[in-house]
Amino acid sequence: MYPYKRRDFFKKLSLGVTGTVLFPHLISETQAQKMKHSSPLSFKNSESFWEEVKSQFKFEDGLHYFNNASLGSSPIPVQTATNAYRATLDGFPSKYMWSDWYDDKEVVRKLVANFFYVSKEEIAIIHNTTEGMNLIARSFDLESGDEVILIDHEHASGTIPWEFWQETKGIKLVRPKIPLIPTSKEELLDVYKNAITSKTKVISMCHMVNTNGMILPVKEVSQLAHKNGIKVAVDGAQSAGMFKIDLHDLECDYFAASAHKWLFAPKGIGVFYAKKHSQKDLKPLIVARGHKDNSIRRLENYNTRNLPEYLGLGESINFLNQIGIDNINNRSYELKSYFRSQIADNPKFIIKTPESDDLSCAIQTLEVKGMNVKTVKTELYETYGIDTRPMSTFGLNGCRISFGIYITKKDIDYLINALNTIAS
C-alpha cells in the first residue's frame, strides 16, 4: 500500500473535536465491517463546514460547476490516492495487477456494500451504468412476444441495450409515458400498473430520471413487479451518492450506477448490485479465466483492468463516510429547498421538477420564461462561468441544475443573481 498525506479539513469543525481527523487509508476488512455499524463524524451542520468540504474540490478558476449530474469531480484526497496507486502499479506492474492488490479490491467491495447496506457478495465493480444495463439486457433468455417495460424518460444507455439485445429477437419494448411533474408516487405507480400484462418479464427503470431529476418509486414498483413474477432492473446513475440508499429496502433485483457522478470516484468505474437469488439469471459480458465462478465476481472478470481507479473508488467511499451519508442526504435536500425558496416568487421562472422530497432531490430543471434554453445556458457560462446542462426534450426548455456537496448557499445566491439578470 502506498503511503501519502491528506489534508485535514475536518479540524475544528466537529463537535468537541479540536485535534486532527484524517481521512483514513483503505482500511482493513475488519475495520470495513465495523463501519456499517459506526456513526459518521459528528459536526455542526454549518455553512462553514460545507465551505471546507468545497475546499476539497479543485475546479478551474472562475468555474461555477452546477453540472454534477453529467459528470462529477473527484476531491483532492481521492485524486491524490488514485495517482499514488497508479505510481505504485507502474513501479511493479505484474505484482500489483495480478496478486498483491487482491485483498485491497475486496476491501473496496466491502466498503461499497456497506455504503448501500448490502452484502459484498451482491456487489460487482464494473466500468459504468451503461455496462451494467448492457449486462442485464444481454443476460435474459426472453422469447418472442415477451415484454419489457421502459418509460419514455429512460436514459439512452438504459434503452439501447434492450433494443440491441432483445428487441431484435422479437421482444416487445413497452414505452408508457409518465407525467412530467407528478404530484405523488401513486401517480407514477399507476403508469406501471397499467403497463403490466401477462407477458411482462422485466421492468427496467431509472431511480432518478436525468431530464428533470424526478425520482421514480422503485420500491413500490418492485413490490408490484414481484407479485407478478417480474424482475426489476434499476439505472441508479443519478441517485447513487446523492441521498441515502438501502438497496435491500428498494427491493429491486439489479442496480447499476456510475461512480463518477455523485460518488465522486475516478472516471470509468461503476457499481453493480444483484440481489443474491437474482444473480443466477446474469451472464458476464466479457469472459476470461474464472468465468465459471459462481460468485458475482464473474461479472467483473476483465483480466487486466485499471486497478488504480478501482481502488480509488474505495477512497471515494472513505471520503463520503467521513462526511456521513445522513449528512449528505440532508444537505442535498437542504440545497434543493434553498434554491426553490429563492426563486419561488419570480414569475419569470418555471421549475420543471416535482416539488415533493419523495419525487426530487438535488437536481432541478429551470425554465426562464420566454427564452430558449440554449441561449440561457450559453449566457450563464460565457458571462458568469456557470456550467449547467440544457434540457430540450419533453418540452422542458430548461437548464438542469445539480447541487453537488461542494455547492454552498453562496454559490446558489450567485447562480440566482445571474438568472435574475438574464431573465430581466
Side-chain angles (χ1 to χ4, degrees):
M1 305 297 285
Y2 198 88
Y4 56 89
K5 295 181 179 179
R6 306 182 196 177
R7 181 178 173 185
D8 164 26
F9 77 87
F10 290 103
K11 188 175 182 180
K12 297 182 180 179
L13 290 174
S14 59
L15 290 173
V17 175
T18 56
T20 299
V21 182
L22 294 175
F23 285 104
H25 204 314
L26 273 178
I27 59 179
S28 70
E29 180 94 17
T30 301
Q31 288 172 308
Q33 191 162 1
K34 288 179 180 178
M35 287 186 69
K36 184 173 183 179
H37 306 290
S38 64
S39 299
L41 184 67
S42 60
F43 62 90
K44 293 179 180 178
N45 190 9
S46 63
E47 280 301 299
S48 62
F49 174 83
W50 294 106
E51 290 281 358
E52 288 298 318
V53 172
K54 179 183 176 69
S55 75
Q56 296 303 295
F57 293 83
K58 178 63 175 176
F59 293 101
E60 286 187 6
D61 290 342
L63 177 64
H64 301 264
Y65 196 66
F66 287 87
N67 199 10
N68 198 86
S70 291
L71 192 64
S73 173
S74 291
I76 294 168
V78 175
Q79 293 182 42
T80 302
T82 305
N83 289 335
Y85 288 128
R86 189 171 293 114
T88 300
L89 176 62
D90 285 329
F92 198 157
S94 61
K95 175 183 179 182
Y96 289 99
M97 179 59 69
W98 293 304
S99 59
D100 272 28
W101 276 344
Y102 178 83
D103 289 341
D104 302 286
K105 287 159 56 180
E106 289 303 301
V107 170
V108 173
R109 191 188 316 280
K110 182 66 173 177
L111 285 168
V112 171
N114 286 351
F115 191 81
F116 292 105
Y117 302 92
V118 297
S119 163
K120 73 170 188 172
E121 298 306 317
E122 296 175 303
I123 293 292
I125 307 301
I126 56 174
H127 292 101
N128 52 34
T129 309
T130 303
E131 179 186 333
M133 300 312 291
N134 268 275
L135 193 160
I136 296 164
R138 170 66 181 86
S139 290
F140 286 96
D141 295 321
L142 302 180
E143 299 178 354
S144 180
D146 288 342
E147 296 177 354
V148 176
I149 297 175
L150 300 126
I151 60 163
D152 58 338
H153 274 257
E154 294 298 325
H155 191 278
S157 291
T159 59
I160 292 173
W162 292 103
E163 294 170 358
F164 183 85
W165 295 113
Q166 298 293 350
E167 192 174 37
T168 53
K169 294 162 43 180
I171 279 69
K172 181 181 179 181
L173 302 187
V174 180
R175 305 300 308 275
K177 295 181 179 180
I178 59 171
L180 186 65
I181 306 181
T183 57
S184 67
K185 291 193 293 185
E186 289 70 29
E187 191 175 350
L188 293 169
L189 185 60
D190 283 342
V191 173
Y192 287 96
K193 283 181 180 178
N194 294 332
I196 290 175
T197 73
S198 60
K199 295 182 179 180
T200 306
K201 302 301 179 185
V202 181
I203 295 175
S204 185
M205 64 187 298
C206 290
H207 193 185
M208 173 181 280
V209 302
N210 79 304
T211 50
N212 70 341
M214 183 193 321
I215 299 174
L216 299 183
V218 171
K219 180 173 182 175
E220 290 80 1
V221 170
S222 296
Q223 291 172 340
L224 173 66
H226 292 155
K227 290 178 182 177
N228 292 276
I230 300 166
K231 289 288 196 296
V232 177
V234 177
D235 169 351
Q238 293 296 357
S239 62
M242 181 194 292
F243 49 80
K244 187 174 183 177
I245 297 174
D246 181 330
L247 287 174
H248 282 169
D249 183 64
L250 280 187
E251 299 187 33
C252 57
D253 296 280
Y254 313 109
F255 184 98
S258 298
H260 55 244
K261 295 181 187 284
W262 302 91
L263 293 173
F264 307 107
K267 313 305 175 280
I269 202 75
V271 173
F272 185 82
Y273 160 79
K275 188 184 296 185
K276 191 67 176 174
H277 71 74
S278 299
Q279 292 179 22
K280 63 182 182 302
D281 296 317
L282 299 176
K283 303 181 182 72
L285 278 175
I286 298 174
V287 291
R289 184 183 296 119
H291 72 281
K292 294 182 180 181
D293 185 343
N294 289 325
S295 80
I296 198 169
R297 292 161 189 78
R298 71 183 184 280
L299 305 179
E300 61 174 44
N301 183 24
Y302 313 125
N303 201 356
T304 302
R305 66 177 303 180
N306 200 330
L307 290 185
E309 274 64 26
Y310 191 123
L311 299 183
L313 170 60
E315 299 293 345
S316 300
I317 300 298
N318 279 332
F319 179 86
L320 296 177
N321 282 339
Q322 285 287 341
I323 299 171
I325 187 57
D326 288 324
N327 297 322
I328 293 169
N329 181 93
N330 295 340
R331 179 63 172 181
S332 295
Y333 282 107
E334 180 184 12
L335 292 179
K336 165 200 165 178
S337 177
Y338 183 75
F339 171 74
R340 293 183 71 110
S341 70
Q342 297 300 103
I343 62 173
D345 297 329
N346 192 328
K348 295 181 180 179
F349 298 140
I350 305 172
I351 301 180
K352 297 294 187 71
T353 301
E355 181 176 5
S356 168
D357 284 351
D358 284 337
L359 298 173
S360 76
C361 189
I363 296 175
Q364 301 288 301
T365 298
L366 177 75
E367 178 181 9
V368 178
K369 190 180 293 185
M371 295 187 68
N372 184 280
V373 63
K374 292 182 180 179
T375 301
V376 176
K377 186 267 188 297
T378 300
E379 183 70 13
L380 281 171
Y381 178 68
E382 292 186 354
T383 304
Y384 301 96
I386 296 171
D387 188 43
T388 61
R389 171 75 183 273
M391 285 291 169
S392 301
T393 57
F394 303 100
L396 286 168
N397 189 41
C399 288
R400 187 187 69 190
I401 302 165
S402 43
F403 307 115
I405 55 175
Y406 47 79
I407 295 294
T408 65
K409 290 181 180 178
K410 288 181 182 178
D411 294 324
I412 292 177
D413 291 341
Y414 179 78
L415 168 67
I416 291 170
N417 286 335
L419 286 168
N420 282 329
T421 303
I422 292 170
S424 64

